[in-house]
Amino acid sequence: HKKQTGGAGQYAKVIGYIEPLTLEEQAELGQANEFVNNCVGTNIPPEYYTSCEKGMHDATAEGALVGCEVEGIRVVLQDGQSHDVDSSDMAFRICMANAIRSTMKEAKPQILEPL
């Protein structure tokens, strides 16, 4: 047993994937990106789903290459983990944003120049 000092921590874990959206899908949705929640069970409590979606919007508002908005992706949340004491809305928002940013860097993104 170890005693923890200080206040509550920040704990969140998200599992999912990112896939491209076609121009037709974007037009049908009426938005550039889509968040899909495919979580089953309560590994992530339902009250944190909106925080995950906000994290997606945070990550796509400013891309990794030149700081411009990222368009044409679908983020699918499949699972995750939370902690009764240390999880919070902000923890899930930051976790989702960081997961998307790191995944986008690994995906070798390209800058689309205006026509």
Side-chain angles (χ1 to χ4, degrees):
H1 173 72
K2 291 185 179 182
K3 183 177 180 184
Q4 179 178 334
T5 60
Q10 295 292 323
Y11 183 82
K13 180 178 179 180
V14 294
I15 299 170
Y17 60 92
I18 299 173
E19 62 186 10
L21 280 177
T22 65
L23 291 174
E24 293 79 24
E25 289 174 314
Q26 291 179 47
E28 186 178 304
L29 291 169
Q31 56 192 25
N33 301 309
E34 181 182 21
F35 176 80
V36 178
N37 177 6
N38 284 346
C39 286
V40 177
T42 57
N43 286 343
I44 298 178
E47 61 264 23
Y48 296 135
Y49 294 154
T50 56
S51 299
C52 291
E53 185 171 2
K54 288 177 184 176
M56 181 206 73
H57 292 299
D58 293 345
T60 57
E62 189 174 302
L65 293 180
V66 293
C68 294
E69 185 177 352
V70 175
E71 294 184 355
I73 65 168
R74 175 182 292 121
V75 176
V76 181
L77 178 64
Q78 294 177 301
D79 201 3
Q81 274 185 321
S82 66
H83 185 273
D84 290 340
V85 175
D86 292 337
S87 290
S88 67
D89 287 322
M90 188 55 66
F92 274 95
R93 186 172 181 163
I94 292 169
C95 180
M96 178 62 84
N98 288 341
I100 292 169
R101 286 182 184 123
S102 66
T103 302
M104 284 193 295
K105 285 179 185 174
E106 292 174 16
K108 300 178 185 168
Q110 296 179 344
I111 299 170
L112 301 177
E113 296 187 33
L115 299 176

